[in-house]
């Protein structure tokens, strides 16, 4: 009645650091790149049933911008010196 269906998802992600403005992330995804997710079925009996599902490529582009995050007080040179001196 039906044949097996196989499909593949492929994605690519790129991160950009914009220093004072935060970071920008591009995420591009594509589904069914080999054009194999098709369905054709015909069932004969008391009634005839026919289905058709053509394969489709789907592209998704996701853009994410992360604003500047608060800096940690434990970063940089001399981080933790006050705590060491206290002990």
């Amino acid at each position: 009645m039906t044949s097996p269906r196989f499909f593949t998802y492929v994605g690519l992600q790129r991160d950009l650091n914009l220093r004072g403005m935060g970071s920008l992330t591009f995420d591009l995804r594509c589904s069914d790149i080999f054009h194999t997710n098709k369905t054709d079925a015909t069932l004969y009996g008391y009634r005839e049933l026919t289905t058709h599902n053509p394969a489709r490529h789907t592209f998704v582009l996701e853009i994410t911008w992360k604003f500047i995050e608060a800096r940690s007080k434990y970063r940089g040179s001399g981080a933790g010196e006050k705590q060491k001196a206290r002990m």
Side-chain angles (χ1 to χ4, degrees):
M1 283 186 7
T2 61
S3 61
R5 300 183 316 169
F6 302 100
F7 53 95
T8 305
Y9 288 103
V10 175
L12 180 66
Q13 183 174 348
R14 175 73 178 153
D15 296 325
L16 300 172
N17 187 3
L18 302 176
R19 295 188 185 184
M21 296 174 59
S23 65
L24 191 62
T25 302
F26 294 98
D27 189 10
L28 177 66
R29 285 179 254 143
C30 177
S31 66
D32 194 23
I33 60 172
F34 299 116
H35 202 57
T36 55
N37 189 16
K38 299 182 218 173
T39 302
D40 287 320
T42 304
L43 179 64
Y44 296 102
Y46 294 109
R47 296 182 180 147
E48 181 179 326
L49 174 66
T50 304
T51 62
H52 178 69
N53 178 19
R56 294 185 195 117
H57 300 292
T58 304
F59 291 94
V60 176
L61 175 62
E62 186 176 305
I63 301 173
T64 307
W65 181 15
K66 295 179 185 172
F67 296 99
I68 302 170
E69 298 176 3
R71 295 192 175 232
S72 172
K73 65 179 180 179
Y74 299 108
R75 280 184 159 177
S77 61
E81 292 299 322
K82 288 182 183 177
Q83 286 77 10
K84 286 184 197 174
R86 199 168 32 122
M87 299 195 152

